[in-house]
Amino acid sequence: MAAIIPALFILSWFTFLFSNKLAYWFVFLLELALWFTTSYFALMVLSSGVNYQEILIQNFYFNPLVLKIDKLSALFILVINFTCFTSYLYARKYLEPYQTHKAKFSFLLHYFNFFMLNITMLLVVMVQEAMGFLLVWELMSLSAFMLVIFESEKPEVIKAGIKYLVQMHVGYFFIIAGFVFVYGNSGDFSFEGIKAMTFSSAYVLGIPNSFWFFLLFFIGFGVKAGFFPLHSWLPIAHPAAPSHISGLMSGVMIKMGIYGLIRVLFNFPDLNLSIGLFMLSISIFTGIFGVMSAIVQHDLKKLLAYHSIENIGIIGIGMGVGVLGTVYHQPLVSALGWAGALLHVVNHSLFKSLLFYSAGSVYIKTHTRDINNLGGLIKKMPFTAFAFLIGAIAISGIPPFNGFISEFLIYNGLFNSFKEVSLELPLLMLFGILGLALIGGLALFCFTKAFGMVFLGTARTPQAAHATEVAPSMRLAKLLPIFWIVIIGLLPLYFYQLITSVIQEKFPEIAFKNLPITNSLHWIGLLAMILIVLFIVFYAFRKLILKSKQVSLGATWGCGYQFANPATNQYTATSFAANFARIAKPLFIDHSDNISYGETEIFPIPRTFKTHTEDKIENTAIMPIANTLIIWVKKLAVLQTGKIQDYIMYPLFFIILIVLLTITNII
Amino acid sequence: MLSSILILICAIVFPGLIAVTKAKFSGRRGPSVWQPWYDIFRLLKKGSIFSTTTSIIFQVAPVINILVLIIAALFIPFTNKYAGFIHFEGDFLLFIYLLALGKFFIIISALDVGSGFEGMGANREALFSMLIEPAIFMIMAALVLLTGQSSLAEMFTTFNLDSSSSILFVVLSCYILLQFSLIESSRLPIDDPKTHLELTMIHEVMVLDNSGFDMALVGIGNALKFSIFGGIIANVVLILWELPLWQEVLIFILIEIIFAITIGVLESFRARLKMIYNSQFVLTISGIAVVMFLMILLLENHL
Amino acid sequence: MDSLFILLFAVSILYFSISVNIKRYIFLLGFQGILLFLIALIGLDELSYFNIGFIAVETLVFKGILIPVYLLNISKRNKITNINNFKNHRKMKGFYLIIATISVFIITIILGNLLKNDFIKIKYLSTAITAVIMGLIFIVINKTITIHIISFIVIENGVFLMALAVGNEMPFLINTAILLDLFVSVLVLGIFFNKLTYHFHDDSSDVLSSLKD
């Protein structure tokens, strides 16, 4: 592999020589080569249990750049490859309508950056040395930026891309700071160095030093993952990007942040209560905040982006449970927490990419992302509706699909902590259970709204009424995740064994095969299959009975009105979310136009009404900081005059200053 | 298996009993106990009208709902003598989420019809079921805390009575489960099942456009849901005594009948809350469950 | 067994948060009075007959029966039924008050645990502090005098529980102090309703700020 990856990297530069169609297939070939080699090595590591190591570049800065695949990397490699495959498959027909008004170069750039993103993501999980890691991390952020601004003729897309890039770089500095700290403390400039770190037992503000160190990495990786105060790029970048890129980013790229956090936490010398408490509380808050914001959105892709934040919260709850279990010496709780978190990483990549592809298909055919303008699409795009339904059921954590399995594992970790008598751990786990229960209920609310408003009922605008089904390749791209969603739901035991083999080395004393949870998962898979089979039987039985009865069609009961317009009679997305928005008023500002009628106005004239909700926390906590920063930066912009004489004057002053300081022996 | 059979038997008399109790308390002669089943048989013989706005979701949802309830009934154990037909560690989670699956499909089939009435019912149902979720989780968590087991069957087997927390748990969880079943089936004080004002309905309005065979399935599902919760309450109450089998079977059926009569009595003497106050009321029940869990946690730690 | 009654006390605080009707409040007050009597009877170890009699009179008779009847009479005479104005409906105070009650309860449990004092029974202490803090919050949020007096009595109930939390016996001093507070509050309420509403026809406490003499 040491030869293949640089070769593919160099070959990818040749993309720019091809025409549009040929470039797609050329990059596809390169990608196939990449996927086959990396997946081959990943599967080899997973099945044989031996880590794979290979030197890529000798004498890269001070250490050789080593490619190291252990079981965690292998799992992530498979997830990355699969999602990139479905995303690329989806991309061909999705980008076709843009060919008329975009230059050829933007397409070539897009395919090239897609390949770059794929290869850099794979390298991120394979490189453990900090220097190489930091290099490929930066390349990954850059290539994702280039992909996000595909529709660069719209100014809001560029704005979204810049916002994304700036936040990624802020996080990048924190990661660099973290690694420098590791190097200073243990002398090893890599993830392994964290194992050898020693912390002074000094307490700053009552919290041990190791927590502040962890906070550096948390902010760095958390910006990428999308944890609560660092999430603001997500709901802006994901709708701006083309749908296959949103699916890819949501499905895999934010998991790179999770990967970094898992590496840091796995290698941490001794976890303490503050880290676990912080992880759990911020994940619960992220999850609940994410899904609450999702409910009041009416842009379909923004809704899905906020849902990604919620699922990162669920993964964070699993990780928090894992850390707290280790702190309180309950290895079973910890193992189940980590297993649930890792399985949710896999599951989320599957159903979130599926949901984004469906949303993209809807956008391509109706040219609107606003839920309040859609409706009745199940009759026009049945396959997309079916895909969205499976994704919606899976993401709410409902059996028989895979979302339930990962939540089941995390719940089991939480409930297992009650079995030993103590006060502190059950009290903390109480918050976890309440958080997960609320998140599940809110996700159900949000996705019934999303699915119901977009696909069911009557079409609310003519655009929605004239939609058609999408091309077969896009349908195939949706079918592949559906296949895995159903398989993980029906045969959870295999995936459980896969995940536990990844974390086995951290918990050598637990024999994962003999836990009672294997029996539970066996039963769950069996029940899922029985549910599906019984459903088919019952449905056939019902159809048989209905054949003998008189079945007729009629209009929906509209309370007897003669000329009711079915499109305006039905509930809109805003009205569906209204009773929730009333409860959540402290968190959201509702901007709606005020309608008043004059006293002498007997027959009201037509009026327009607009309403939209904004996030209060973002407005009061984050925006003022950003705005003051912009004000101060604008003051500094005085130095940018645009004249070349001024730019020569600045170095001249600098040279004079250095000479003066050297003469007077200050430097 | 025994409890599932008992639940099915009790489901037959449940809706009729509630109706007869309400009638007697309002001074009317009342329908016969079997009247709901006469209605259901009549519906089974009828044809159906489907709205042109609906799609396959509308055809599928009642089937999924009743299937989920039948499978959920197999989870309930019979006190400490027999485990349920299905039992494994963490089975109560699958129980709760299976009910959520049924709810998901009922809500989207309500949205499928494309009428404002069903949308109203759907969003109220989604909100209230979301707010009451923590209550059942807290009851299960308290059971795990008290018994150290995470399977429904083993929880009821290893319950030991000498701790003072068991009486606390039995009394309060009966109350919470009573209110929980009232909220889940949208009875008073959340919603009046006898009202004909669509603007105030929750469950009734979601199935407004169902007809014939589907309506019969909905009616059977309602009876079954009540009976399942009555089975859980009976299990909780029977923790307090250790009796021979035939006595426990009798008490099980008796508790289900008392449950039905209690619901009838509560419905006769209560008025419906204003819709705005409903979410507060639902959250109170969840709050009581959380407080109960915390108190049991303190008791277990001898604090 | 006393934990059941303490739990019912906490549940009554929860129902306090969502009540709208005056009769509901009064019923809950009476319920709390009876609960306090049962808690004192079961929870205290050292009781002479005189103490039992005194506590019985104080809780059962005064808080359980006399004060609710008196408040009922006052509310009937002044025709107060709702404590909320109709424009408060949209605010959903009850929802946030329940979340506040539960959070205060959990925080007091965590803090009580950190104290690590063997003599304090945490279940009494956390319920008591919850009652006191929620009583104060009720006074801050609501405007009518009647609800202020009712919340004041809730705070007194909380103080009673706190006395139970730290001791085995109920000192005479605390009993008398609580009785004095009750007497003063009921007297104030009586004077207010008899004399002042005659002049102002309003039972909101804003009226008091315009009182000069």
Side-chain angles (χ1 to χ4, degrees):
Chain A
M1 191 159 64
I4 298 185
I5 291 194
L8 287 174
F9 182 80
I10 295 177
L11 272 179
S12 65
W13 287 91
F14 287 99
T15 328
F16 292 105
L17 298 176
F18 288 90
S19 80
N20 200 339
K21 269 201 191 337
L22 284 178
Y24 180 82
W25 293 112
F26 176 67
V27 172
F28 191 63
L29 280 173
L30 291 178
E31 297 250 10
L32 273 178
L34 184 65
W35 293 327
F36 276 125
T37 37
T38 45
S39 310
Y40 168 69
F41 284 107
L43 285 170
M44 204 172 71
V45 169
L46 279 175
S47 54
S48 68
V50 175
N51 293 348
Y52 175 78
Q53 204 159 320
E54 201 181 321
I55 298 184
L56 187 59
I57 301 178
Q58 284 281 17
N59 297 324
F60 183 73
Y61 289 93
F62 14 91
N63 291 333
L65 185 65
V66 180
L67 286 179
K68 194 171 164 205
I69 305 182
D70 58 1
K71 292 204 162 156
L72 186 66
S73 319
L75 183 70
F76 271 93
I77 287 177
L78 292 174
V79 169
I80 295 173
N81 281 341
F82 183 74
T83 316
C84 283
F85 174 52
T86 51
S87 176
Y88 202 65
L89 205 57
Y90 188 82
R92 183 162 75 99
K93 283 291 177 182
Y94 184 84
L95 295 176
E96 217 177 74
Y98 290 100
Q99 275 171 2
T100 49
H101 60 267
K102 283 192 82 66
K104 185 183 87 157
F105 180 70
S106 54
F107 282 88
L108 298 177
L109 193 65
H110 191 83
Y111 298 139
F112 171 68
N113 277 308
F114 195 96
F115 183 75
M116 271 300 122
L117 184 65
N118 197 353
I119 201 170
T120 47
M121 278 202 288
L122 287 170
L123 282 175
V124 159
V125 298
M126 290 198 284
V127 172
Q128 306 250 9
E129 248 77 36
M131 204 42 129
F133 183 84
L134 290 171
L135 177 70
V136 286
W137 185 270
E138 177 66 12
L139 282 176
M140 178 177 78
S141 301
L142 280 178
S143 40
F145 166 71
M146 299 299 299
L147 287 172
V148 164
I149 57 169
F150 177 68
E151 287 185 85
S152 45
E153 64 268 11
K154 295 188 197 161
E156 64 258 13
V157 170
I158 301 249
K159 232 175 168 180
I162 303 269
K163 206 167 190 173
Y164 161 74
L165 197 62
V166 167
Q167 296 211 12
M168 286 300 123
H169 276 111
V170 169
Y172 190 56
F173 291 135
F174 278 96
I175 303 180
I176 296 180
F179 273 121
V180 164
F181 210 69
V182 171
Y183 182 60
N185 198 322
S186 70
D188 191 1
F189 196 46
S190 74
F191 277 118
E192 304 286 319
I194 303 180
K195 272 189 208 161
M197 286 183 77
T198 50
F199 296 100
S200 66
S201 49
Y203 281 62
V204 179
L205 290 181
I207 302 175
N209 265 340
S210 48
F211 173 70
W212 300 109
F213 162 71
F214 171 71
L215 199 62
L216 280 176
F217 272 120
F218 181 79
I219 297 181
F221 287 120
V223 176
K224 187 63 142 191
F227 279 100
F228 168 60
L230 318 157
H231 68 283
S232 32
W233 62 274
L234 249 171
I236 303 192
H238 277 68
S243 303
H244 59 286
I245 298 299
S246 312
L248 186 62
M249 279 171 66
S250 234
V252 195
M253 212 188 61
I254 50 185
K255 305 305 186 327
M256 295 296 112
I258 299 282
Y259 167 79
L261 276 174
I262 296 182
R263 277 264 181 241
V264 168
L265 284 172
F266 269 9
N267 289 338
F268 221 81
D270 61 308
L271 295 165
N272 53 25
L273 181 60
S274 355
I275 297 181
L277 197 59
F278 176 74
M279 201 69 219
L280 186 66
S281 43
I282 216 164
S283 310
I284 294 178
F285 201 77
T286 309
I288 295 187
F289 170 76
V291 70
M292 280 172 88
S293 311
I295 292 182
V296 295
Q297 297 298 327
H298 51 83
D299 179 344
L300 187 58
K301 282 168 79 174
K302 211 165 185 182
L303 188 146
L304 291 174
Y306 273 113
H307 255 282
S308 293
I309 301 179
E310 168 220 332
N311 278 295
I312 292 289
I314 298 181
I315 298 176
I317 292 179
M319 296 203 302
V321 168
V323 172
L324 281 172
T326 321
V327 170
Y328 282 98
H329 308 294
Q330 294 205 26
L332 183 60
V333 172
S334 185
L336 284 172
W338 285 114
L342 279 175
L343 188 59
H344 205 79
V345 166
V346 176
N347 288 343
H348 180 62
S349 72
L350 287 172
F351 44 69
K352 198 28 90 62
S353 49
L354 176 67
L355 285 169
F356 266 111
Y357 299 156
S358 317
S361 311
V362 168
Y363 176 62
I364 275 280
K365 290 296 173 184
T366 60
H367 302 288
T368 174
R369 293 201 304 257
D370 191 339
I371 302 184
N372 285 323
N373 289 340
L374 297 167
L377 288 176
I378 193 170
K379 302 201 178 81
K380 308 286 188 325
M381 315 170 74
F383 189 80
T384 311
F386 173 68
F388 198 93
L389 180 66
I390 305 262
I393 296 180
I395 203 171
S396 317
I398 292 180
F401 299 132
N402 59 356
F404 177 68
I405 311 286
S406 48
E407 291 207 358
F408 183 76
L409 285 173
I410 301 181
Y411 271 121
N412 257 319
L414 287 165
F415 279 108
N416 266 322
S417 70
F418 292 153
K419 292 186 179 170
E420 288 190 19
V421 177
S422 78
L423 184 64
E424 295 165 355
L425 187 61
L427 205 57
L428 292 170
M429 299 290 112
L430 167 75
F431 287 114
I433 295 179
L434 282 177
L436 268 184
L438 271 176
I439 290 177
L442 285 165
L444 190 135
F445 191 101
C446 185
F447 270 99
T448 46
K449 167 189 141 183
F451 183 71
M453 294 303 148
V454 172
F455 291 101
L456 303 174
T458 337
R460 293 180 179 84
T461 52
Q463 301 160 297
H466 294 128
T468 51
E469 186 57 85
V470 292
S473 67
M474 289 164 95
R475 277 185 263 176
L476 181 65
K478 288 180 215 148
L479 193 61
L480 294 169
I482 293 180
F483 173 71
W484 282 108
I485 288 176
V486 174
I487 289 286
I488 297 184
L490 294 182
L491 300 168
L493 214 53
Y494 292 114
F495 296 93
Y496 168 74
Q497 282 164 357
L498 180 68
I499 300 283
T500 50
S501 68
V502 172
I503 58 176
Q504 177 81 65
E505 55 179 8
K506 196 140 195 318
F507 301 101
E509 68 269 19
I510 303 183
F512 281 108
K513 282 205 201 321
N514 302 335
L515 287 177
I517 201 168
T518 39
N519 182 30
S520 313
L521 287 174
H522 170 72
W523 265 107
I524 292 179
L526 194 64
L527 279 173
M529 277 193 260
I530 293 179
L531 186 70
I532 295 184
V533 165
L534 275 182
F535 163 66
I536 297 178
V537 166
F538 259 76
Y539 189 62
F541 175 65
R542 174 180 173 272
K543 267 228 149 31
L544 201 65
I545 291 191
L546 280 180
K547 270 206 208 321
S548 59
K549 306 270 189 297
Q550 180 196 20
V551 174
S552 56
L553 295 173
T556 308
W557 167 244
C559 227
Y561 283 109
Q562 284 279 18
F563 297 109
N565 182 0
T568 52
N569 254 358
Q570 56 189 346
Y571 244 42
T572 60
T574 325
S575 32
F576 194 85
N579 62 354
F580 173 76
R582 197 187 302 135
I583 296 178
K585 234 195 222 171
L587 287 178
F588 298 107
I589 312 174
D590 216 347
H591 296 284
S592 47
D593 295 342
N594 232 340
I595 296 218
S596 58
Y597 294 99
E599 279 184 14
T600 54
E601 203 177 334
I602 304 179
F603 294 110
I605 53 175
R607 286 176 162 80
T608 54
F609 176 75
K610 276 205 184 82
T611 156
H612 89 112
T613 42
E614 262 176 28
D615 194 357
K616 214 183 246 187
I617 298 183
E618 184 166 336
N619 280 0
T620 51
I622 301 181
M623 286 274 90
I625 302 177
N627 286 340
T628 30
L629 193 65
I630 291 179
I631 293 176
W632 284 100
V633 168
K634 274 205 183 124
K635 290 196 177 149
L636 278 180
V638 164
L639 291 173
Q640 273 183 311
T641 53
K643 289 190 242 173
I644 210 162
Q645 292 121 319
D646 291 339
Y647 294 143
I648 301 285
M649 183 177 71
Y650 297 142
L652 183 63
F653 278 152
F654 184 69
I655 296 174
I656 297 176
L657 183 70
I658 295 285
V659 167
L660 275 176
L661 289 175
T662 321
I663 289 178
T664 54
N665 269 329
I666 294 181
I667 300 183
Chain B
M1 201 65 194
L2 179 62
S3 51
S4 316
I5 299 178
L6 285 176
I7 286 177
L8 285 173
I9 296 177
C10 294
I12 297 180
V13 292
F14 221 98
L17 258 181
I18 300 181
V20 165
T21 321
K22 282 168 76 168
K24 290 279 187 292
F25 270 94
S26 0
R28 296 181 273 130
R29 208 170 64 176
S32 112
V33 181
W34 311 110
Q35 183 60 42
W37 292 97
Y38 296 152
D39 290 337
I40 288 181
F41 285 138
R42 188 167 40 105
L43 281 170
L44 282 173
K45 287 188 232 162
K46 287 193 173 190
S48 303
I49 299 184
F50 294 118
S51 160
T52 44
T53 326
T54 60
S55 59
I56 191 157
I57 303 279
F58 193 71
Q59 318 267 345
V60 160
V63 173
I64 292 190
N65 197 27
I66 195 130
L67 196 59
V68 153
L69 283 170
I70 293 177
I71 296 186
L74 295 174
F75 277 87
I76 315 287
F78 185 75
T79 66
N80 56 351
K81 302 240 178 344
Y82 293 103
F85 193 61
I86 306 175
H87 59 100
F88 50 86
E89 272 228 354
D91 51 6
F92 57 90
L93 288 167
L94 188 60
F95 176 75
I96 299 172
Y97 274 94
L98 272 176
L99 294 178
L101 174 69
K103 226 175 290 176
F104 186 89
F105 269 94
I106 289 282
I107 294 177
I108 43 178
S109 92
L111 287 173
D112 197 10
V113 177
S115 152
F117 298 132
E118 276 89 346
M120 238 183 274
N123 90 331
R124 287 165 187 166
E125 167 78 9
L127 184 68
F128 298 149
S129 60
M130 164 188 95
L131 287 174
I132 199 66
E133 282 287 311
I136 193 90
F137 271 105
M138 286 295 111
I139 292 182
M140 296 299 169
L143 269 174
V144 175
L145 199 59
L146 282 172
T147 58
Q149 308 286 338
S150 16
S151 165
L152 271 175
E154 273 140 50
M155 278 186 219
F156 287 107
T157 318
T158 60
F159 212 108
N160 66 330
L161 277 176
D162 10 320
S163 49
S164 58
S165 33
S166 38
I167 304 238
L168 182 106
F169 174 74
V170 167
V171 168
L172 242 87
S173 57
C174 281
Y175 178 71
I176 295 176
L177 281 170
L178 176 70
Q179 300 282 27
F180 179 78
S181 57
L182 284 178
I183 292 172
E184 283 274 310
S185 333
S186 293
R187 303 220 137 221
L188 288 161
I190 301 287
D191 168 29
D192 187 355
K194 283 278 164 278
T195 182
H196 58 276
L197 303 165
E198 287 98 348
L199 294 176
T200 61
M201 296 180 189
I202 302 179
H203 239 111
E204 300 294 314
V205 77
M206 287 206 293
V207 294
L208 202 63
D209 268 71
N210 284 333
S211 50
F213 188 73
D214 294 334
M215 203 61 186
L217 284 182
V218 167
I220 301 176
N222 276 342
L224 206 55
K225 201 190 269 195
F226 266 125
S227 195
I228 290 178
F229 286 118
I232 301 181
I233 293 181
N235 269 325
V236 166
V237 170
L238 278 171
I239 291 174
L240 294 174
W241 305 287
E242 176 79 34
L243 296 168
L245 181 63
W246 62 274
Q247 284 185 0
E248 285 198 340
V249 169
L250 273 180
I251 295 189
F252 193 98
I253 299 183
L254 190 68
I255 290 179
E256 290 252 18
I257 293 180
I258 294 179
F259 182 51
I261 297 180
T262 317
I263 293 183
V265 169
L266 278 179
E267 287 216 322
S268 313
F269 288 105
R270 253 173 151 164
R272 203 180 55 82
L273 290 174
K274 263 194 179 136
M275 194 54 77
I276 303 179
Y277 294 140
N278 267 342
S279 42
Q280 279 172 203
F281 174 71
V282 173
L283 192 68
T284 313
I285 307 294
S286 289
I288 296 177
V290 172
V291 167
M292 171 189 84
F293 173 78
L294 286 168
M295 195 61 78
I296 292 182
L297 185 63
L298 284 176
L299 279 177
E300 286 291 302
N301 283 300
H302 307 291
L303 285 170
Chain C
M1 202 54 184
D2 51 349
S3 26
L4 175 62
F5 299 124
I6 297 177
L7 186 54
L8 287 177
F9 189 85
V11 168
S12 72
I13 302 275
L14 275 176
Y15 272 110
F16 248 105
S17 326
I18 63 165
S19 302
V20 175
N21 214 346
I22 268 270
K23 282 195 193 153
R24 201 106 197 260
Y25 276 101
I26 296 170
F27 167 73
L28 281 172
L29 265 186
F31 185 61
Q32 280 189 347
I34 300 178
L35 276 178
L36 280 179
F37 173 63
L38 288 168
I39 293 176
L41 209 57
I42 299 179
L44 292 177
D45 295 332
E46 276 204 30
L47 276 184
S48 62
Y49 284 115
F50 175 64
N51 254 332
I52 294 182
F54 193 76
I55 292 179
V57 164
E58 175 191 356
T59 55
L60 196 56
V61 173
F62 270 124
K63 289 187 191 162
I65 302 177
L66 280 183
I67 288 190
V69 166
Y70 183 62
L71 285 172
L72 260 177
N73 276 339
I74 288 184
S75 63
K76 267 193 205 142
R77 216 182 324 153
N78 292 294
K79 300 197 183 60
I80 310 162
T81 47
N82 273 348
I83 58 125
N84 278 334
N85 296 326
F86 282 104
K87 39 185 194 241
N88 281 345
H89 277 177
R90 296 261 143 201
K91 277 194 201 160
M92 304 212 65
K93 288 189 286 200
F95 197 86
Y96 308 123
L97 280 173
I98 293 178
I99 299 180
T101 313
I102 307 258
S103 340
V104 167
F105 196 69
I106 294 181
I107 291 175
T108 49
I109 290 181
I110 295 177
L111 288 177
N113 201 30
L114 286 177
L115 274 178
K116 293 213 187 341
N117 190 337
D118 283 332
F119 289 112
I120 303 181
K121 302 175 217 159
I122 295 191
K123 51 184 188 251
Y124 287 91
L125 189 69
S126 35
T127 325
I129 297 185
T130 315
V132 169
I133 293 188
M134 288 321 289
L136 289 170
I137 292 183
F138 292 146
I139 295 183
V140 166
I141 287 185
N142 289 309
K143 288 204 174 117
T144 50
I145 284 280
T146 324
I147 197 66
H148 287 181
I149 301 289
I150 294 178
S151 315
F152 181 71
I153 301 180
V154 170
I155 296 178
E156 293 296 327
N157 288 346
V159 170
F160 188 86
L161 263 186
M162 246 191 267
L164 283 175
V166 293
N168 278 333
E169 57 171 14
M170 176 61 76
F172 196 63
L173 197 59
I174 296 188
N175 276 344
T176 355
I178 292 180
L179 272 180
L180 184 69
D181 283 333
L182 283 178
F183 176 63
V184 164
S185 64
V186 171
L187 184 69
V188 164
L189 186 66
I191 294 178
F192 184 80
F193 274 110
N194 283 332
K195 302 285 182 195
L196 295 178
T197 43
Y198 181 68
H199 291 290
F200 289 108
H201 300 290
D202 185 7
D203 67 335
S204 162
S205 69
D206 295 339
V207 157
L208 283 179
S209 44
S210 62
L211 194 61
K212 283 219 176 80
D213 183 39

